[in-house]
Amino acid sequence: WQDIYTNKLAKNTIVFFYTSGADAKDYGRYAQEQGIGGAIMWTIDGDVPVTDTKNSLITNFINGFTDNN
């Protein structure tokens, strides 16, 4: 996907980006380390329940941002 992305997305190309719970945790950690106040996340289908600590994007972002686990 990086080649397509760097070429400003080829015409009629569909690109999907998948964010895992681990990715969201890394995003939170990065935001905290860079002094960014937070982030905006959007999913087309919603997140899994926040009690799903392995997969929930919200839970993992918060844990990365607040340095939990």
Side-chain angles (χ1 to χ4, degrees):
W1 68 266
Q2 289 179 332
D3 291 339
I4 295 170
Y5 185 75
T6 9
N7 291 326
K8 298 184 181 173
L9 296 176
K11 207 175 206 181
N12 298 320
T13 301
I14 298 172
V15 178
F16 293 92
F17 295 93
Y18 173 76
T19 301
S20 69
D23 294 331
K25 192 170 190 174
D26 288 341
Y27 298 158
R29 189 173 295 119
Y30 177 81
Q32 193 274 335
E33 289 170 354
Q34 297 301 310
I36 299 170
I40 296 172
M41 288 186 276
W42 177 79
T43 63
I44 198 164
D45 61 348
D47 196 7
V48 297
V50 294
T51 54
D52 182 348
T53 57
K54 180 180 179 187
N55 298 304
S56 170
L57 301 179
I58 298 295
T59 298
N60 280 287
F61 179 86
I62 291 168
N63 286 342
F65 191 79
T66 59
D67 205 24
N68 289 329
N69 299 336

